[in-house]
């Protein structure tokens, strides 16, 4: 019974992905390319070669963190859309710390300080929405979503003015000092930051699956009145969980800064942004930590694969964006199904028609037979 | 008089489970028919098939001599068959007439505008015709539960329904509203309607119906004219064994003089700023069950919320064993030794989509036996669940399944097991047997009395007068947020208590003052 439900859950996450690839394949075929070949390049270059796989892991590092940051809130029924903002704020100030802190500091110390700055900034970002949600029942989804735009403008102001690197030909903050940079482990892009991310994953795995707090997260997500009546102090938990989410997202931003970007540009987090990617990953991974780990690596593989498609085939790399979009679309269908029971309705309708056809076939024998 | 509805060999299967097994039912023209059975006996399935919500697996439904298949409730209504559900389907912010005419609005001739005057007139005429006590222009959110039920009935009457199915109509009503409902139903009968009532309250069957059909495990046990039977006989038919309806409460030892739980001058306001509790004071002694009787909506729910930490007071104090516990969080109250059986089982007591095991530890999930250093011990949790299930005789189909799959009685037993197993000193039990079958009711009553006999205190809030009278050592009555009287269960009758609850007669004993 248990194994079966787990199987169904895995299938539920796989179906949107497979459908996206099928429809993506149609798109590839329609521009006159071979979809199987393209997908083979996508998968083999990013997962099956050592270098490609390590690069994939490198890209997965911040995505694991943002995926967890989303899941730890969504699972408790808190719709924190501010993960992207926490990533940006954490990344920005980690970069500022890396650039302005004395370069003579011990490199390990410097990196830790930068990460810490990122975590604190990520947490600070969600304090206001968390307090509003907990004490004034203000919808956190609206507040966090809007705050992202305000923050983007603030950071644009800071990076074009106060913290602008005057030597650069485009808008960016000064590059962080060498001591603050995570060094590559091999020729691939992988840095020690991946292992920090992995450590955070292990901690969150135990928190979400085996801890008292994890139990409370599940209870809050499923029935918040019940959680309150059972003495889980929901208000306080909302604040704690949003702070945890902010910390994870801030760490993601700081780590991405120290291991990949090295300075803040206006396209720091990419398009659609690490926080939004994290949302997709959390949904794909069904809010379970292991699912998120797998989904993050898969999603990072798409990112790595996009570059390789450009190199090794004549399919434009935007095909990966198309596939990502399709995954979101099919995931949305899945969410609608969970919310409104589309599948049950369809099944009911079919079975009703079936039984109607059967009874009338017995009595009248012709009318509805064609319908069955 | 012929039969309006007849079913022949009506069967409904859900997978392998036979919910209705060859039901033969006959409802005569213009009678009030009661269908009784324990929870899960298949009453609702039967009615849902008659009403077109479910399609029978096999068997026939015969309406006025013609075999019919209802494809949907709308189809059933157009054939003159209407149903009033246990949970109302009304729009609170709309008026009575708007609710009645929802989906059947009267338009001004040749336009698409609603003719409000005509609508009000139509509904008012209807109210007058059937002698309901209702204002067509009142907003549904402002009227009592009993009146809302009338609106539901009107909805059906407006659509020219002449067979009315009522699903557990008295479950949400106060004793006075029940009487009114019965008057209304009898009036409908006089005007030629046929009424089918689903219930498991035998007193009401005897009072209201012309004939009874008893269903057990999806089969008809018997159909009988009401005047030829008795409550005891029906009860025996329902459960298939001798059930004594009165509660066993033989212990006559007087409770000790030690006050366990004490409430002094408690007042509070609700979220709209209305005072819902006014100067409430009472003591519960060790070894005593204190019953709170009262028509629902007179402050009991708020009182429980305050006592369980879900609402705060504006003034007054609460003490347990002499220790002040006013306005504490629910978790601190639990650790002080208060156990809670909440009014709404699946809202505050259980999480229906979580497993039985998770529900068995909720609220105590921080106990050192199941949780060390913030990490839960799965093995210990499962062991605790198994111990509770066997000790309290809780029957579950799928032991790893969700608690929502359990029957009402078994779900309630999960709550009781969880609450009593933490060895509390004081139990707050709200409607502990609401919607629970007779077998489980008995065992829940036994648990409550056993808990009391061990020298603990119990506060019992129930709208079942027999329960209050049978279990309590002392009864206080609440009306409009105040305590209006105290009576002894041995010297009072349910009629007396009912009047007191309605605020009609002041208590014969002295009024309890803070």
């Amino acid at each position: 019974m248990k194994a079966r439900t787990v199987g169904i859950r895995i299938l539920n996450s796989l179906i949107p992905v497979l459908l996206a690839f099928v429809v993506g394949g149609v798109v590839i075929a329609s521009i006159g390319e071979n979809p199987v070949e393209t997908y083979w390049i996508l998968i083999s270059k990013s997962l099956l070669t050592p270098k490609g796989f390590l690069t994939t892991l490198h890209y997965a590092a911040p995505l694991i963190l943002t995926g967890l940051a989303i899941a730890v809130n969504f699972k408790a029924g808190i719709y924190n859309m501010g993960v992207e903002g926490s990533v940006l704020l954490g990344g920005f100030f980690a970069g500022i710390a890396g650039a302005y802190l004395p370069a003579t500091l011990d490199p390990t110390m410097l990196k830790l300080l930068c990460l810490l700055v990122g975590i604190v900034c990520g947490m600070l970002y969600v304090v206001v929405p968390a307090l509003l949600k907990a004490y004034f029942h203000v919808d956190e989804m609206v507040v966090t979503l809007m705050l992202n735009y305000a923050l983007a403008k603030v950071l644009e102001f800071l990076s074009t003015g106060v913290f602008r690197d005057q030597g650069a030909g485009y808008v960016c903050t000064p590059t962080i000092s060498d001591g603050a940079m995570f060094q590559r482990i091999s020729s691939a892009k992988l840095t020690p930051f991946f292992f920090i991310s992995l450590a955070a994953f292990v901690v969150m795995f135990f928190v979400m699956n085996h801890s008292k707090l994890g139990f409370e997260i599940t209870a809050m997500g499923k029935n918040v009145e019940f959680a309150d009546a059972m003495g889980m102090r929901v208000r306080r938990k909302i604040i704690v969980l949003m702070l945890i989410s902010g910390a994870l997202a801030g760490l993601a931003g700081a780590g991405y800064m120290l291991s990949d970007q090295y300075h803040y540009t206006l396209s720091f987090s990419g398009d659609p942004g690490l926080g939004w990617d994290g949302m997709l990953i959390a949904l794909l991974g069904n809010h379970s930590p292991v699912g998120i780990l797998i989904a993050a690596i898969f999603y990072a593989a798409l990112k790595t694969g996009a570059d390789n498609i450009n190199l090794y085939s004549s399919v434009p790399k935007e095909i990966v964006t198309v596939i990502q979009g399709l995954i979101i679309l099919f995931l949305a269908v899945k969410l609608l199904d969970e919310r409104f029971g589309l599948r049950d309705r369809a099944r009911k309708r079919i079975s009703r028609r079936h039984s109607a056809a059967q009874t009338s076939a017995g009595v009248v024998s012709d009318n509805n037979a064609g319908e069955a | 008089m012929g039969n309006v509805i007849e079913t022949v060999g009506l069967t409904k299967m859900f997978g392998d489970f036979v919910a209705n097994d060859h039901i033969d039912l006959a409802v005569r023209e213009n009678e009030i028919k009661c269908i009784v059975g324990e929870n899960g006996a298949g009453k609702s399935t039967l009615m849902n098939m008659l009403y077109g919500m479910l399609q029978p697996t096999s068997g026939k439904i015969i309406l006025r001599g013609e075999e019919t298949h209802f494809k949907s409730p709308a189809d059933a209504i157009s054939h003159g068959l209407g149903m009033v559900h246990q949970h109302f389907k009304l729009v609170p912010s709309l008026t009575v007439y708007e609710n009645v005419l929802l989906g059947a609005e009267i338009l001004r001739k040749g336009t698409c505008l609603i003719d409000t005057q005509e609508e009000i007139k139509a509904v008012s005429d209807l109210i007058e015709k059937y002698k309901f006590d209702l204002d067509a222009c009142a907003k549904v959110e402002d009227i009592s539960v009993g009146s809302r039920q009338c609106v539901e009935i009107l909805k059906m009457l407006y659509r020219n329904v002449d067979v009315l199915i009522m699903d557990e109509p008295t479950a949400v009503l106060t004793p006075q509203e029940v009487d009114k409902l019965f008057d209304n139903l009898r009036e409908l009968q006089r005007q030629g309607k046929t009424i089918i009532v689903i219930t498991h309250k035998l007193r009401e069957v005897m009072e209201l119906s012309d004939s009874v059909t008893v269903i057990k495990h999806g089969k008809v046990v018997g159909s009988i004219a009401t005047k030829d039977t008795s409550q005891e006989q029906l009860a025996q038919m329902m459960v298939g064994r001798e059930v004594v309806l009165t509660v066993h409460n033989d212990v006559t030892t007087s409770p000790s003089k030690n006050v366990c739980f004490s409430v002094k001058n408690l007042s509070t306001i609700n979220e709209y700023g209305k005072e819902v509790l006014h100067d409430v004071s009472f003591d519960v002694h060790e070894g005593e069950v204190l019953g709170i009787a009262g028509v629902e909506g007179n402050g009991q729910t708020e009182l429980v919320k305050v006592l369980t930490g879900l609402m705060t007071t504006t003034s007054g104090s609460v003490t347990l064993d002499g220790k002040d516990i006013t306005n504490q969080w629910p978790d601190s109250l639990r650790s002080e030794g208060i156990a809670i059986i909440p009014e709404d089982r699946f809202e505050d007591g259980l999480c229906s989509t979580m497993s039985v095991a998770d529900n068995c530890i909720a609220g105590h999930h921080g106990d050192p036996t199941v949780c060390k250093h913030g990490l839960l011990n799965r093995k210990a949790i499962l062991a605790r669940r198994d111990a509770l299930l066997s000790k309290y005789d809780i029957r579950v189909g799928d032991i790893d399944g969700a608690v929502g799959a359990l029957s009402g009685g078994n779900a309630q037993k999960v709550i009781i097991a969880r609450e009593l197993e933490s060895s509390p000193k004081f139990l707050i039990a709200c409607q502990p047997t609401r919607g629970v079958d007779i077998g489980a009711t008995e065992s829940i009553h036994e648990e409550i009395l056993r808990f009391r006999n061990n020298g603990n205190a119990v506060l019992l809030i129930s709208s079942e007068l027999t329960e209050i009278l049978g279990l309590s050592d002392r009864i206080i009555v609440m009306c409009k947020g105040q305590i209006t009287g105290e009576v002894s269960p041995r010297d009072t009758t349910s009629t007396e208590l009912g009047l007191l609850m309605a605020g009609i007669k002041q208590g014969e004993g002295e009024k309890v003052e803070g």
Side-chain angles (χ1 to χ4, degrees):
Chain A
M1 192 74 203
K2 193 102 200 241
R4 211 180 130 210
T5 51
V6 170
I8 287 173
R9 259 195 233 156
I10 292 173
L11 204 64
N12 265 338
S13 285
L14 273 183
I15 287 172
V17 174
L18 291 178
L19 281 176
F21 272 95
V22 169
V23 178
V26 173
V27 174
I28 295 170
S30 68
I31 57 172
E33 297 290 330
N34 183 346
V36 178
E37 216 170 85
T38 315
Y39 287 150
W40 177 245
I41 293 171
L42 184 74
I43 290 163
S44 63
K45 296 287 179 194
S46 56
L47 288 174
L48 303 179
T49 66
K51 193 179 164 189
F53 185 61
L54 292 181
T55 306
T56 296
L57 289 187
H58 166 73
Y59 282 127
L63 295 176
I64 294 169
L65 294 171
T66 52
L68 290 169
I70 294 277
V72 77
N73 277 356
F74 274 33
K75 206 176 174 197
I78 308 166
Y79 295 97
N80 176 12
M81 303 278 146
V83 168
E84 174 70 13
S86 290
V87 168
L88 291 181
L89 197 65
F92 184 86
F93 281 104
I96 297 300
Y100 288 87
L101 279 175
T104 48
L105 272 173
D106 173 58
T108 317
M109 192 64 190
L110 187 58
K111 287 186 193 78
L112 284 180
L113 274 176
C114 291
L115 291 179
L116 197 67
V117 167
I119 292 172
V120 170
C121 288
M123 289 165 86
L124 280 178
Y125 179 71
V126 296
V127 165
V128 172
L131 291 176
L132 285 175
K133 159 89 175 166
Y135 290 98
F136 301 100
H137 299 289
V138 179
D139 192 335
E140 76 286 5
M141 201 193 273
V142 176
V143 178
T144 50
L145 197 61
M146 304 304 269
L147 208 53
N148 283 335
Y149 294 97
L151 179 80
K153 285 294 162 201
V154 169
L155 292 183
E156 194 179 323
F157 166 73
L158 289 178
S159 51
T160 50
V162 190
F163 294 114
R164 170 143 194 193
D165 181 0
Q166 300 300 340
Y170 54 99
V171 175
C172 67
T173 60
T175 305
I176 58 174
S177 55
D178 288 351
M181 292 180 190
F182 280 115
Q183 301 303 322
R184 291 183 179 184
I185 292 173
S186 64
S187 63
K189 283 186 167 177
L190 192 72
T191 71
F193 173 58
F194 174 74
F195 298 101
I196 294 176
S197 175
L198 210 57
F201 159 78
V202 172
V203 171
M204 288 311 290
F205 174 81
F206 279 102
V207 166
M208 289 179 73
N209 289 351
H210 296 286
S211 78
K212 189 182 161 197
L213 184 64
F215 182 78
E216 294 175 336
I217 290 173
T218 314
M220 277 170 69
K222 295 197 170 197
N223 183 347
V224 71
E225 282 85 12
F226 165 77
D228 224 357
M230 289 299 120
M232 295 179 187
R233 304 208 187 179
V234 168
R235 278 182 181 186
R236 191 180 295 181
K237 291 283 143 50
I238 288 172
I239 296 172
V240 168
L241 292 176
M242 284 185 80
L243 287 178
I244 291 177
S245 171
L248 287 167
L251 178 63
Y256 192 55
M257 171 61 80
L258 304 189
S259 67
D260 192 275
Q261 293 283 310
Y262 310 128
H263 59 206
Y264 185 86
T265 61
L266 293 181
S267 58
F268 169 75
S269 165
D271 191 21
L274 297 172
W276 305 120
D277 287 342
M279 197 173 293
L280 180 66
I281 287 161
L283 292 177
L284 264 183
N286 243 328
H287 302 324
S288 96
V290 175
I292 287 166
L293 182 69
I294 296 168
I297 291 173
F298 161 75
Y299 201 81
L302 285 185
K303 264 189 175 179
T304 324
D307 298 335
N308 290 317
I309 284 182
N310 235 14
L311 277 177
Y312 298 102
S313 78
S314 46
V315 178
K317 78 170 183 180
E318 279 69 27
I319 188 66
V320 172
T321 321
V322 171
I323 292 174
Q324 285 171 356
L326 286 167
I327 294 176
I328 295 174
L329 191 68
F330 289 120
L331 266 180
V333 174
K334 179 189 141 197
L335 290 179
L336 280 179
D337 177 46
E338 277 166 15
R339 190 90 177 251
F340 301 109
L342 295 181
R343 238 179 324 177
D344 278 354
R345 280 197 207 177
R347 201 174 297 149
K348 237 179 234 167
R349 178 156 292 185
I350 290 166
S351 73
R352 190 179 295 169
R353 194 172 287 183
H354 200 73
S355 65
Q358 267 180 350
T359 43
S360 63
V363 184
V364 201
S365 87
D366 50 37
N367 256 357
N368 285 15
E371 229 180 310
Chain B
M1 270 186 290
N3 291 333
V4 186
I5 301 184
E6 229 177 298
T7 68
V8 181
L10 203 62
T11 302
K12 178 72 190 177
M13 318 243 302
F14 294 106
D16 294 335
F17 176 71
V18 188
N20 275 183
D21 188 4
H22 293 90
I23 300 258
D24 296 327
L25 177 79
V27 183
R28 276 179 300 117
E29 184 89 50
N30 201 12
E31 72 166 342
I32 297 183
K33 175 88 168 180
C34 276
I35 295 181
V36 294
E38 285 200 277
N39 287 339
K43 295 167 292 185
S44 296
T45 309
L46 176 61
M47 288 307 123
N48 284 336
M49 281 194 287
L50 287 184
Y51 191 47
M53 299 227 289
L54 290 173
Q55 303 303 321
T57 312
S58 66
K60 286 190 279 189
I61 300 172
I62 298 164
L63 185 71
R64 300 185 201 286
E66 269 178 61
E67 192 182 335
T68 38
H69 296 280
F70 296 136
K71 287 193 271 306
S72 66
D75 196 16
I77 290 174
S78 69
H79 282 83
L81 197 79
M83 182 157 170
V84 174
H85 293 269
Q86 190 176 351
H87 301 286
F88 305 147
K89 297 173 162 79
L90 297 172
V91 187
S93 57
L94 293 183
T95 61
V96 168
Y97 77 87
E98 283 168 325
N99 268 289
V100 170
L101 296 172
L102 204 62
E105 285 80 3
I106 302 171
L107 301 180
R108 274 187 220 167
K109 271 203 188 87
T111 64
C112 53
L113 299 172
I114 292 173
D115 190 339
T116 316
Q117 295 305 321
E118 200 54 41
E119 285 204 333
I120 295 173
K121 190 170 170 296
V123 175
S124 301
D125 288 351
L126 206 60
I127 291 173
E128 207 167 303
K129 181 178 173 197
Y130 293 104
K131 304 197 172 86
F132 285 179
D133 177 19
L134 205 60
D135 174 11
C137 293
K139 279 198 175 175
V140 165
E141 62 193 355
D142 297 331
I143 63 179
S144 68
V145 178
S147 306
R148 287 178 200 194
Q149 191 170 45
C150 290
V151 179
E152 282 284 358
I153 297 174
L154 278 176
K155 261 163 77 175
M156 291 301 140
L157 294 176
Y158 181 78
R159 286 157 180 83
N160 290 321
V161 159
D162 45 29
V163 180
L164 196 63
I165 304 173
M166 310 269 308
D167 187 6
E168 304 262 354
T170 58
V172 288
L173 299 184
T174 61
Q176 277 71 24
E177 282 176 325
V178 170
D179 290 343
K180 209 161 159 194
L181 171 74
F182 287 181
D183 289 342
N184 286 336
L185 292 181
R186 284 195 201 96
E187 177 62 33
L188 291 179
Q189 187 188 19
R190 258 194 296 283
Q191 303 204 20
K193 309 282 181 194
T194 308
I195 298 161
I196 305 175
V197 179
I198 306 172
T199 182
H200 55 235
K201 292 184 184 162
L202 299 178
R203 194 177 58 81
E204 294 167 4
V205 175
M206 300 308 295
E207 201 177 315
L208 180 70
S209 67
D210 300 313
S211 71
V212 198
T213 294
V214 183
I215 294 180
K216 187 183 144 199
H217 298 319
K219 288 182 187 154
V220 173
V221 185
S223 289
I224 194 162
T226 310
K227 59 182 192 315
D228 301 334
T229 186
S230 64
Q231 283 197 42
E232 286 70 25
Q233 191 193 356
L234 287 176
Q236 208 183 337
M237 282 164 87
M238 270 168 73
V239 293
R241 64 194 153 94
E242 196 80 47
V243 167
V244 185
L245 275 178
T246 47
V247 181
H248 291 287
N249 187 3
D250 306 326
V251 183
T252 45
T253 51
S254 57
S256 85
K257 288 283 155 242
N258 294 340
V259 173
C260 172
F261 185 79
S262 167
V263 171
K264 281 200 173 48
N265 307 103
L266 199 70
S267 297
T268 193
I269 52 170
N270 68 7
E271 54 191 309
Y272 306 111
K274 189 183 164 210
E275 188 171 57
V276 280
L277 286 179
H278 178 72
D279 201 18
V280 171
S281 301
F282 59 83
D283 291 334
V284 191
H285 301 94
E286 287 171 6
E288 175 185 58
V289 176
L290 177 68
I292 296 188
V295 177
E296 264 182 275
N298 273 287
Q300 299 95 318
T301 309
E302 288 83 2
L303 176 65
V304 170
K305 276 191 170 175
V306 168
L307 299 186
T308 56
L310 294 173
M311 219 170 142
T312 53
T313 60
T314 46
S315 67
S317 68
V318 184
T319 51
L320 179 69
D321 275 350
K323 193 175 165 196
D324 184 54
I325 53 164
T326 319
N327 293 341
Q328 295 252 18
W329 289 100
D331 54 331
S332 337
L333 292 176
R334 264 167 212 279
S335 52
E336 292 293 341
I338 294 185
I340 301 145
I341 302 173
E343 187 179 332
D344 191 329
R345 204 169 303 144
F346 283 111
E347 182 97 344
D348 297 331
L350 296 169
C351 182
S352 57
T353 49
M354 282 172 87
S355 69
V356 177
D358 284 345
N359 274 288
C360 281
I361 60 153
H364 304 286
H365 54 284
D367 283 7
T369 45
V370 293
C371 178
K372 280 207 177 80
H373 312 298
L375 287 180
L376 296 174
N377 180 348
R378 205 75 220 157
K379 242 186 213 159
I381 293 171
L382 295 182
R384 187 175 176 136
R385 171 195 69 188
D386 295 340
L388 291 186
L389 292 189
S390 66
K391 183 170 171 191
Y392 289 86
D393 186 30
I394 303 166
R395 285 167 214 162
V396 291
D398 172 15
I399 199 158
D400 293 315
V403 93
L406 301 187
S407 73
N410 282 312
Q412 188 73 328
K413 281 190 189 168
V414 170
I415 296 181
I416 288 170
R418 176 184 73 208
E419 296 298 325
L420 295 187
E421 218 35 35
S422 58
S423 47
K425 300 178 223 167
F426 179 56
L427 171 70
I428 302 174
C430 307
Q431 318 289 0
T433 58
R434 171 174 284 180
V436 166
D437 59 74
I438 290 178
T441 299
E442 267 187 358
S443 75
I444 289 168
H445 285 167
E446 275 166 27
E447 288 300 337
I448 291 175
L449 292 176
R450 186 176 307 140
F451 180 72
R452 177 202 66 179
N453 295 344
N454 292 339
N456 299 302
V458 178
L459 184 67
L460 174 72
I461 295 120
S462 172
S463 52
E464 285 289 333
L465 286 185
T466 32
E467 187 166 82
I468 288 272
L469 286 167
L471 289 178
S472 310
D473 298 303
R474 234 161 16 102
I475 299 172
I476 55 177
V477 181
M478 273 187 89
C479 186
K480 292 182 182 138
Q482 300 184 50
I483 290 175
T484 51
E486 176 175 338
V487 291
S488 157
R490 279 161 204 87
D491 318 327
T492 190
T493 63
S494 53
T495 347
E496 253 180 333
L497 208 52
L499 288 170
L500 206 57
M501 282 157 63
I504 291 171
K505 192 175 71 171
Q506 201 63 262
E508 280 170 358
E510 93 274 36
K511 192 181 170 194
V512 178
E513 217 74 65

